[in-house]
Amino acid sequence: LRFYYNRNTYWIRYKGHGGNTISEYELRYGSTIPGPPAIPNRPGYDSGGWTSTDGASVEDEENIVPIYTPRDDTPYKIEHWGQDVTGSGYNTPLLTENKTGTTDTEAIAASESFTGFNRHVGHSSEIVSGNIDGDGSLVLKLYYDREVYNIVFNDKDANEIVTRTVRHGGNATPPTPPDVTGYTFSDWDKLSVNIVEDLSIIAVYTP
């Protein structure tokens, strides 16, 4: 008597990182797994072969996936933005840092020091940390407020006329100088442009 048996068949599938099927084969038990296709490129990673060795025997259903190693030189950026001299915007570029890190790890932005600016913690557009994506698209953003100064305009006897509040680098508009009998206003004793500190400015008159 003779008995005949069919070999079981199994699906062998080569899959990409995202689970998509690249190629597939229905093979009999014990047959040789065909050689793999080219490993798909994965930004931010180096490829290291497949999870099954070329030439292995079929023993069961198998999904063969690529092996990737994250790179440690994946680029990302940290942008530092300063408050505008006037208005509510933060459109003054202070610094852009071009950094690198290991793909799919967390990057954290650190504050920098800028003359006349202080970090605005909690700004609505702030991005302090994020995942370093393999395509280099991560951009972290920090925002900084300008320091504010008091500019006091005084008459010729150093009596206050008006005080202006100005952001770092801004200009203070002088008031109309008071009339002084027997004197003609000539100028103010200090410029009130590109302000970087508190100032007391006195009106200068000539007889």
Side-chain angles (χ1 to χ4, degrees):
L1 297 177
R2 289 186 178 181
F3 296 93
Y4 295 88
Y5 298 85
N6 291 327
R7 289 176 183 262
N8 291 335
T9 59
Y10 301 100
W11 281 100
I12 304 299
R13 295 181 174 89
Y14 286 97
K15 290 182 172 286
H17 166 69
N20 58 302
T21 299
I22 300 171
S23 58
E24 60 182 2
Y25 307 92
E26 187 177 19
L27 302 172
R28 292 176 181 174
Y29 177 86
S31 60
T32 301
I33 296 175
I39 295 178
N41 180 56
R42 186 180 177 191
Y45 285 83
D46 291 323
S47 59
W50 297 84
T51 54
S52 184
T53 304
D54 183 15
S57 296
V58 175
E59 297 179 352
D60 203 345
E61 300 275 341
E62 186 175 3
N63 289 325
I64 304 172
V65 296
I67 300 170
Y68 294 105
T69 302
R71 298 181 62 90
D72 61 5
D73 60 352
T74 301
Y76 68 97
K77 292 182 179 181
I78 303 175
E79 295 179 349
H80 302 262
W81 291 93
Q83 184 182 32
D84 296 338
V85 173
T86 60
S88 59
Y90 286 76
N91 303 302
T92 304
L94 299 175
L95 174 68
T96 296
E97 298 179 83
N98 294 305
K99 312 280 271 186
T100 59
T102 302
T103 304
D104 282 330
T105 62
E106 184 182 38
I108 300 175
S111 299
E112 295 290 335
S113 178
F114 303 101
T115 300
F117 292 84
N118 296 302
R119 171 84 181 279
H120 183 148
V121 178
H123 187 280
S124 60
S125 298
E126 182 180 70
I127 306 174
V128 179
S129 62
N131 184 70
I132 302 176
D133 297 322
D135 61 3
S137 61
L138 176 65
V139 179
L140 304 179
K141 297 182 179 182
L142 301 181
Y143 293 84
Y144 299 78
D145 291 325
R146 289 179 185 261
E147 293 185 0
V148 176
Y149 308 111
N150 291 319
I151 311 303
V152 182
F153 289 92
N154 304 278
D155 64 18
K156 73 180 187 66
D157 297 317
N159 297 311
E160 180 182 341
I161 303 170
V162 69
T163 296
R164 309 284 195 207
T165 300
V166 181
R167 292 176 186 167
H168 178 82
N171 302 329
T173 302
T176 300
D179 292 330
V180 179
T181 302
Y183 289 85
T184 301
F185 173 78
S186 60
D187 206 347
W188 300 94
D189 72 338
K190 299 183 185 71
L191 294 176
S192 57
V193 297
N194 193 25
I195 303 298
V196 296
E197 60 183 348
D198 292 331
L199 289 178
S200 180
I201 301 176
I202 297 175
V204 178
Y205 292 80
T206 56

